[in-house]
Amino acid sequence: MPPPPFRIPGLSSTSNSSVNSAMDNMNLFFLAITFLITIKLFSTWWGSRGKPPGPFALPFIGHLHLITSSFARDLAKLADCYGPVIFLRFGSRPVVVVSSPSAVEECFSKNDVVLANRPQLLVGKCLGDNFDNLGWAPYGSHWRNARRFANTELFASGRLNYYANVRELEIYSFVKHLFRRSVGGHREVKLRKEFVDIVSNCLLAMLIGKRYYGEDVTGLEDSKQFRENIEEMVHFITTPALGDFLPIFRWIDSQWLGRKMKALARKKDTFMQRLIDERRKMHENGGVETKCVLDALLSNQSADPDFYSDKNIKGIIDALIAAGVDTVYYTLEWALALLMNNPDIMKKARDEIDLYVGHDRMIQESDLPKLSMLNDIINETLRMYPPAPLAIPHEAAEDCTIGGFKVRRGTMIMVNIFAVQTDPKLWEDPWSFKPERFKEVEEAKGGLKWIVFGHGRRSCPGAGMAVRELAMVLGALIQCFEWATVGDEKLDMKVNAGFFMPRENPLVAVCEPRKSMIDVLSKL
């Protein structure tokens, strides 16, 4: 005899039937959810086959929770655990981080064209003229034309020599300013501000034939506006937008952060257009005494008005300013701090300058090839504290392989320069300041273990100029002044948290003119 139908006590047969139906529906719902989760897990597993290894990702935020302090240092620790090619997710954005010379070489030799694009980030859209200027433009004819101009008209050896006098005059003016301060009793110097001033003036004098920093600057309103524009631009460049990684914030970023960026872009555009119009009028009236990069751009405009439009000229100048200020002053701060903590190395550099330059004139760019210790100090500083430790990210235009792993189209590629240049397997005692390791320069930099300026098509075109400027400013400070800490203790070497690598605490030092250089300094 079959069993009696199941009934819940106290309920009618009709009510019992409704409960059973609800339970059946619930079972179906849970079966459907289980099926979907299984499909999702299977598709995730299937899609991850061949990808680089990496830690477990949390829902929604991916691996963003692993980034706690110094971005490059955190990624270097992950590379120690998972290898030199690792896969991460920053929110919804897939990221591959490479941290070995062989992986870097594979990225920018075999895959150089595939990885020549930049990721489309909010800052590139709003401040990069909708991904159209030199820094953010996708790889193609427009970018190649802009890069060709930078290589031939600004950063070629002949051009660097042509502008050497401009840089020297700015540096001598800077030294004169420090000398007058110290003689007047102001021996304690806040060097971050001073370095921003001199680096900006060197760059602007070459680019637009003007200077906006210092005590003797004319046009104070223009100077104030320019400084504000630069400070805002640097802030946006160094502060990632959440919407670039978490789509839920994209609309908020576009309405709030994006509007602020676009407002800045309009201010910069108006300011730069006025500069272009002023320079063009000076040419028409025959009032240009010294040539600058803007002059070369305007000269080329008549031959190729489509490419050298005012819009593209502003984009080129803007990209060069954005890339050429902070990176140099970061390094100057680190270099002088390292020398103050290592006075024996400071003495060696000063003795070398005294030998080859003497005490009756200022250091010149033509002296730099003879000053090997000075150049080694620059190289070692850049090795230990690369100003952009993760460089500017790349993006895969097509599927490719790196280190034997599959990398999908649209993946962001980050090169951890910091991890490579402080790897104890590549560098003996990497956290000791040893400029002498660069005595054999090619051997020390060989095998892509020193890549502070990047590698491949989108490597930094201004490397040569940056090194000259760094050596000239640092050489002049060593030649002309004695430097000491404010207290008796050594300077701290704490790194500020974030994508870049400035000092956490701005450098402050005591500056006193060298007796042997007072005559020269008095005549500046």
Side-chain angles (χ1 to χ4, degrees):
M1 177 181 293
F6 175 76
R7 285 184 173 81
I8 298 176
L11 291 181
S12 68
S13 59
T14 303
S15 298
N16 190 57
S17 176
S18 298
V19 170
N20 288 335
S21 177
M23 292 179 65
D24 289 341
N25 289 336
M26 187 172 293
N27 287 335
L28 287 173
F29 173 76
F30 281 118
L31 281 172
I33 291 295
T34 303
F35 177 74
L36 291 174
I37 291 174
T38 303
I39 291 295
K40 176 64 176 175
L41 291 173
F42 178 79
S43 63
T44 301
W45 170 81
W46 184 264
S48 66
R49 292 184 313 153
K51 282 185 180 177
F56 176 76
L58 293 179
F60 184 61
I61 65 170
H63 297 97
L64 289 175
H65 66 291
L66 299 177
I67 309 304
T68 57
S69 55
S70 175
F71 198 46
R73 290 175 187 266
D74 291 333
L75 293 178
K77 292 174 184 176
L78 291 177
D80 288 339
C81 296
Y82 295 96
V85 182
I86 59 175
F87 178 80
L88 301 171
R89 279 198 173 274
F90 294 163
S92 62
R93 188 181 289 272
V95 179
V96 166
V97 184
V98 298
S99 306
S100 74
S102 59
V104 172
E105 185 171 14
E106 189 173 2
C107 284
F108 304 118
S109 55
K110 184 182 77 172
N111 295 316
D112 196 15
V113 174
V114 174
L115 302 182
N117 281 341
R118 298 294 189 202
Q120 296 201 338
L121 305 178
L122 183 64
V123 66
K125 180 179 181 180
C126 297
L127 295 181
D129 199 13
N130 199 24
F131 310 107
D132 200 45
N133 76 10
L134 179 61
W136 291 101
Y139 180 70
S141 59
H142 175 75
W143 175 83
R144 285 194 295 269
N145 287 335
R147 177 68 178 233
R148 187 180 302 114
F149 174 85
N151 287 339
T152 57
E153 295 294 335
L154 182 56
F155 299 127
S157 180
R159 282 294 174 181
L160 289 177
N161 293 334
Y162 178 80
Y163 292 115
N165 186 56
V166 174
R167 291 187 294 273
E168 288 172 354
L169 289 176
E170 291 298 334
I171 291 167
Y172 298 163
S173 177
F174 168 60
V175 169
K176 177 182 176 180
H177 160 70
L178 291 181
F179 173 64
R180 287 182 173 178
R181 276 181 52 92
S182 61
V183 170
H186 301 285
R187 296 169 60 240
E188 190 172 304
V189 185
K190 295 180 180 179
L191 283 159
R192 176 166 294 182
K193 177 189 177 301
E194 301 291 351
F195 286 155
V196 170
D197 288 0
I198 178 56
V199 170
S200 299
N201 276 341
C202 280
L203 186 61
L204 294 173
M206 289 186 294
L207 292 179
I208 61 176
K210 279 195 171 187
R211 59 201 308 269
Y212 285 118
Y213 295 79
E215 298 170 345
D216 54 346
V217 168
T218 57
L220 293 179
E221 191 59 38
D222 276 0
S223 173
K224 179 183 177 183
Q225 184 181 344
F226 185 86
R227 294 167 80 118
E228 288 175 354
N229 289 349
I230 290 292
E231 288 170 5
E232 282 188 72
M233 181 169 64
V234 169
H235 169 72
F236 288 129
I237 290 173
T238 57
T239 306
L242 280 176
D244 288 329
F245 307 102
L246 301 171
I248 194 173
F249 292 104
R250 197 163 291 161
W251 184 85
I252 298 173
D253 276 347
S254 66
Q255 295 300 307
W256 180 66
L257 192 59
R259 284 185 178 181
K260 287 188 173 184
M261 289 184 184
K262 288 176 182 177
L264 172 61
R266 288 191 294 271
K267 284 196 300 181
K268 291 197 299 102
D269 185 79
T270 301
F271 189 86
M272 285 301 302
Q273 187 62 54
R274 183 155 53 83
L275 285 178
I276 290 172
D277 293 340
E278 287 176 2
R279 200 72 183 179
R280 186 182 285 122
K281 189 172 182 179
M282 289 173 64
H283 278 277
E284 292 170 356
N285 297 333
V288 176
E289 296 180 1
T290 57
K291 295 283 186 179
C292 64
V293 172
L294 181 54
D295 296 326
L297 287 162
L298 291 173
S299 176
N300 289 347
Q301 193 174 60
S302 57
D304 187 356
D306 290 334
F307 177 73
Y308 292 100
S309 63
D310 284 4
K311 173 176 172 290
N312 285 345
I313 287 175
K314 286 181 283 189
I316 291 172
I317 296 291
D318 194 52
L320 295 174
I321 291 173
V325 177
D326 282 42
T327 52
V328 177
Y329 95 68
Y330 290 167
T331 307
L332 284 170
E333 268 200 305
W334 284 120
L336 193 56
L338 286 164
L339 289 174
M340 290 169 66
N341 280 349
N342 295 272
D344 54 327
I345 297 176
M346 173 94 81
K347 183 178 184 306
K348 288 179 182 178
R350 181 173 289 131
D351 290 345
E352 182 183 67
I353 293 172
D354 289 345
L355 175 64
Y356 289 106
V357 180
H359 304 110
D360 57 351
R361 66 176 177 87
M362 288 292 297
I363 187 174
Q364 299 172 355
E365 282 200 10
S366 57
D367 298 314
L368 297 182
K370 296 175 286 189
L371 304 176
S372 60
M373 174 57 74
L374 180 62
N375 291 311
D376 294 344
I377 288 168
I378 299 295
N379 288 330
E380 179 72 342
T381 303
L382 288 169
R383 182 193 68 80
M384 295 176 70
Y385 299 100
L390 294 165
I392 301 176
H394 297 247
E395 185 172 281
E398 301 173 9
D399 292 354
C400 61
T401 59
I402 301 173
F405 300 107
K406 289 193 301 184
V407 175
R408 299 289 187 188
R409 175 184 178 182
T411 300
M412 181 189 288
I413 309 297
M414 304 185 80
V415 177
N416 195 339
I417 294 172
F418 169 82
V420 174
Q421 294 186 171
T422 57
D423 187 342
K425 297 189 290 294
L426 302 172
W427 302 90
E428 181 182 348
D429 197 8
W431 282 111
S432 292
F433 182 55
K434 296 181 178 180
E436 63 273 10
R437 73 172 88 232
F438 284 91
K439 286 300 178 188
E440 299 295 333
V441 177
E442 295 308 318
E443 181 180 337
K445 294 182 181 179
L448 295 183
K449 61 182 185 178
W450 191 91
I451 48 171
V452 70
F453 295 109
H455 191 65
R457 280 171 171 78
R458 297 203 80 141
S459 60
C460 176
M465 187 182 77
V467 170
R468 289 190 188 204
E469 190 176 350
L470 286 166
M472 272 297 295
V473 175
L474 190 63
L477 296 180
I478 294 171
Q479 180 192 23
C480 297
F481 302 102
E482 300 284 354
W483 295 94
T485 57
V486 175
D488 296 330
E489 297 181 358
K490 283 191 172 186
L491 293 166
D492 73 83
M493 303 302 280
K494 295 178 182 177
V495 178
N496 194 31
F499 281 89
F500 292 84
M501 196 169 270
R503 286 176 52 82
E504 182 175 88
N505 300 308
L507 182 60
V508 180
V510 176
C511 162
E512 186 171 341
R514 293 179 67 200
K515 291 180 180 179
S516 59
M517 290 298 296
I518 287 179
D519 287 344
V520 173
L521 292 170
S522 300
K523 295 173 184 176
L524 289 176

